[in-house]
Amino acid sequence: MPKINILPKEIYQLIAAGEVVERPSSIVKEMIENSVDAGAKNITVEIKNGGSTYIRITDDGCGIEKGEIKKVFVSHATSKISDKEDLNSISTLGFRGEAMASISAVAKVELLTKSENESIGTRYEISGGEEISFDDAGCPKGTTIVVRDIFYNTPARMKFLKKDVTEGNAVAGIVDRMAISHPEISFRFIRDGKQTLITSGNGELVSAIYSVFGKEVCDSLIPVDYSYENMKLTGFVSKPASSRKSRAMQFFFINGRLIKSQTAMAALEQAYKNSIMVGRFPMCVLNIELNPSLVDVNVHPAKIEVRFANEKPIFDLIYYGVKTAVEADRSVKKAELTPKIEQVYDIPQKIYSSKIDFFKKKDNSPVQQAFRLEPKREFRQVSSPTLDFTNHGDRESEVVKIPVIQSKEPDEFLKKNEQGNEQTATVDEEKNISFRLVGEAFDTYIIAEIDKELYFIDKHAAHERMNYERLKAQSTVETQMLLSPAAVSLSKDEFDAVTENGDLLLKCGFETEPFGESAVIVRAVPSLVGDSDINDLITEIAQKLLEHKTDITPDKIDWIYHSASCRGAVKAGDKTTPQEQELFIKKLFSMPNIRFCPHGRPVFIKISKYDIEKQFGRV
């Protein structure tokens, strides 16, 4: 058996440092957390060369008394816990007592600090775990730590650092996250001599988000404020129309601590179901306030991964809180008038971008005429009825009553969840709105004028969502018997999926029974399906049942309703009369919770009169 050696201090310190210090951003995270725990109201972070050669963190916190300074750099020395019971209720960001010892083991560290009770501060230097100097120094209350030359004594580790710009971006990401998790603190970030971020520290999360991510992101958010089982969820989530292609903009915090949680992520995305397109993801900045004893943050040295005593209440808190906010949001996606005039008319850039009063000229040049042209638009209105509405309004402008959605209370959501069925939105009050039918474009988009805005309605997406809501609202789905039962041939897997879910299909309005070993007979379908291709519809449902085998019953019902709603909806290109278009608009705007089709696409977009006039140079 090989001889067992007791490792010397310089070696075990380097090993321990490897668990905490992976790159410059790791150091920045640990030191900012210490500044937050010290009660700082202002924190400045400065880096050079991505942080590999220089990091400076300055705060105005409580500072460190002279007699305590050397303990900062001793392993397992901390002011955050004193006995094992404290591990069950950790409320600070740092607590392990490893960070500064690990940092000083692989870098050159200089500390300058002064506590409120001291008349003079202290300057302390330590390099590679060895003390260099310990002297008095003049400085204000608070702490400044400078870290230079990371991994100078472990070249093998240094080669794993990435380019300066990559490391710098990682540091910037840490500062961004800390800034939005603590809006009560003013953060400044200086990168290679240039200030790239400053937050107000006024305690308003929206201000911190604006400073970090900008106006466009800030304008796309809706607030979340929800309480459930002695827990509280606050923050912001994105409007469904402002979804993103990745989860990179999802930020979860537990009592102000940045965390990674599959439970939180799943709850967030489940709350957007039927409101966001497949393959798109919502943005969020959400903080969960709960009793520290219900979460274990002592799982990983980086303290990002956590373990909950019970995952379900966390899931419910996020799911119901976010869903309440999303359903209460009444915003409509605005159309973006992105084409530039020089792209449309092929006008030279130098003419387009010049500062002269071009529109005031009256030279009647070809270019001037091109700017003044307004192409005529024709909207075909034909008389082949395809929409399943029973009464037609007259052609005059109509007044439509639009209900206002009221946010659901926790008990309502829980009741809905237990029943496995969506409840219709409650109505608080009604307000009147008038519209004028403009026409229809491409036999697909119904155009209406409402209060100085043009609404472009995707009639298939809107009708599909109306069908979907109609199915969900029915306690018993209306069905129609087929004059000639349809025999549908399926693959073995599809056949098994349909026959195993026969009761579920019946609940959704489909009456099926086995017909041989690889086919089913369909005798009845939901009435809204009409004369759709039954063969294709049953095959599509079978495929969805196969893809979502592990889904709970309400989810499977949703998928079946999706298919039925889509098949029963008017299609793009179908002809609709002006009377049907007007009735369609009235039906749509009487259901204010309809903003997206079951697949997450918007059912309508709007363009303001101002935006149109801006494109024509009128404003």
Side-chain angles (χ1 to χ4, degrees), residues 340-349 351-352 367 370-371:
K340 293 182 180 178
I341 295 177
E342 79 275 16
Q343 294 172 327
V344 176
Y345 295 105
D346 197 26
I347 297 173
Q349 177 68 28
I351 296 178
Y352 176 79
V367 171
F371 271 107

Side-chain angles (χ1 to χ4, degrees), residues 127-195:
S127 179
E130 298 296 327
E131 180 180 316
I132 303 300
S133 65
F134 186 66
D135 303 301
D136 291 340
C139 61
K141 181 179 79 75
T143 302
T144 295
I145 299 178
V146 178
V147 179
R148 295 182 173 88
D149 302 331
I150 299 172
F151 303 138
Y152 79 99
N153 55 350
T154 54
R157 297 278 303 280
M158 189 181 297
K159 68 181 181 181
F160 287 99
L161 292 180
K162 302 184 184 301
K163 294 180 180 178
D164 287 352
V165 64
T166 303
E167 297 296 345
N169 289 340
V171 173
I174 292 295
V175 178
D176 289 347
R177 289 161 176 77
M178 296 302 295
I180 60 177
S181 65
H182 293 279
E184 75 282 3
I185 300 175
S186 175
F187 283 85
R188 293 179 65 224
F189 180 47
I190 303 170
R191 185 171 177 177
D192 293 320
K194 181 180 179 181
Q195 179 174 287

Side-chain angles (χ1 to χ4, degrees), residues 5-20 73-76 97-98 101-103 105-106 128-130 154 157:
N5 299 315
I6 298 177
L7 296 176
K9 174 184 174 182
E10 61 271 17
I11 295 181
Y12 72 66
Q13 280 187 333
L14 292 176
I15 295 173
E19 296 180 346
V20 177
F73 299 94
V74 176
S75 294
H76 312 305
E98 297 176 358
S102 297
I103 293 169
V106 295
E130 298 296 327
T154 54
R157 297 278 303 280

Side-chain angles (χ1 to χ4, degrees), residues 260-278:
K260 289 182 180 179
S261 170
Q262 293 293 325
T263 298
M265 184 179 67
L268 170 72
E269 294 175 12
Q270 187 73 7
Y272 278 84
K273 190 174 181 181
N274 303 326
S275 296
I276 200 170
M277 293 180 67
V278 176

Side-chain angles (χ1 to χ4, degrees), residues 28-271:
V28 171
K29 175 182 177 295
E30 296 291 344
M31 293 201 299
I32 291 180
E33 288 180 349
N34 286 340
S35 294
V36 173
D37 288 340
K41 296 300 179 185
N42 296 275
I43 299 175
T44 298
V45 180
E46 181 179 4
I47 64 169
K48 296 177 183 177
N49 302 317
S52 60
T53 62
Y54 184 87
I55 298 172
R56 177 176 64 87
I57 310 286
T58 299
D59 69 58
D60 59 354
C62 64
I64 307 168
E65 293 184 358
K66 186 171 184 178
E68 301 288 306
I69 290 176
K70 292 185 180 181
K71 294 180 184 178
V72 171
F73 299 94
V74 176
S75 294
H76 312 305
T78 177
S79 62
K80 317 298 174 57
I81 58 177
S82 57
D83 56 51
K84 65 179 182 180
E85 297 303 322
D86 292 339
L87 291 173
N88 297 323
S89 57
I90 295 171
S91 58
T92 55
L93 299 182
F95 61 91
R96 291 173 175 269
E98 297 176 358
M100 295 312 300
S102 297
I103 293 169
S104 65
V106 295
K108 301 171 183 177
V109 179
E110 176 185 352
L111 180 145
L112 193 65
T113 185
K114 175 182 172 295
S115 68
E116 189 171 10
N117 299 326
E118 295 177 314
S119 59
I120 192 168
T122 304
R123 180 174 176 271
Y124 181 67
E125 284 187 278
I126 183 170
S127 179
E130 298 296 327
E131 180 180 316
I132 303 300
S133 65
F134 186 66
D135 303 301
D136 291 340
C139 61
K141 181 179 79 75
T143 302
T144 295
I145 299 178
V146 178
V147 179
R148 295 182 173 88
D149 302 331
I150 299 172
F151 303 138
Y152 79 99
N153 55 350
T154 54
R157 297 278 303 280
M158 189 181 297
K159 68 181 181 181
F160 287 99
L161 292 180
K162 302 184 184 301
K163 294 180 180 178
D164 287 352
V165 64
T166 303
E167 297 296 345
N169 289 340
V171 173
I174 292 295
V175 178
D176 289 347
R177 289 161 176 77
M178 296 302 295
I180 60 177
S181 65
H182 293 279
E184 75 282 3
I185 300 175
S186 175
F187 283 85
R188 293 179 65 224
F189 180 47
I190 303 170
R191 185 171 177 177
D192 293 320
K194 181 180 179 181
Q195 179 174 287
T196 60
L197 172 70
I198 183 168
T199 64
S200 66
N202 63 0
E204 298 292 334
L205 177 56
V206 68
S207 297
I209 293 175
Y210 188 98
S211 298
V212 172
F213 298 119
K215 182 178 185 298
E216 183 178 353
V217 168
C218 205
D219 289 345
S220 71
L221 301 178
I222 50 181
V224 176
D225 191 342
Y226 192 82
S227 297
Y228 173 64
E229 291 192 357
N230 298 319
M231 298 182 295
K232 188 173 181 63
L233 180 72
T234 56
F236 292 88
V237 293
S238 59
K239 299 173 183 177
S242 301
S243 58
R244 307 178 70 86
K245 292 182 179 180
S246 73
R247 298 185 176 95
M249 294 286 280
Q250 294 181 0
F251 305 102
F252 297 97
F253 304 90
I254 296 285
N255 297 333
R257 179 193 300 279
L258 176 67
I259 65 161
K260 289 182 180 179
S261 170
Q262 293 293 325
T263 298
M265 184 179 67
L268 170 72
E269 294 175 12
Q270 187 73 7

Side-chain angles (χ1 to χ4, degrees), residues 261-326:
S261 170
Q262 293 293 325
T263 298
M265 184 179 67
L268 170 72
E269 294 175 12
Q270 187 73 7
Y272 278 84
K273 190 174 181 181
N274 303 326
S275 296
I276 200 170
M277 293 180 67
V278 176
R280 305 283 296 187
F281 303 94
M283 173 190 170
C284 76
V285 179
L286 293 173
N287 183 53
I288 302 167
E289 297 175 34
L290 48 66
N291 190 321
S293 65
L294 299 177
V295 58
D296 182 6
V297 299
N298 192 23
V299 176
H300 187 274
K303 303 187 296 292
I304 290 181
E305 298 177 11
V306 297
R307 183 185 296 115
F308 297 106
N310 188 350
E311 301 277 351
K312 189 177 186 304
I314 302 298
F315 182 96
D316 290 346
L317 174 71
I318 297 173
Y319 173 77
Y320 297 133
V322 172
K323 196 166 181 67
T324 294
V326 171

Side-chain angles (χ1 to χ4, degrees), residues 82 105 222 238 256 297 308 335 377 478 483 545 554 558 573 578 610:
S82 57
I222 50 181
S238 59
V297 299
F308 297 106
R377 302 185 179 207
E478 297 176 5
L483 293 176
L545 289 172
D558 270 350
Y610 175 84

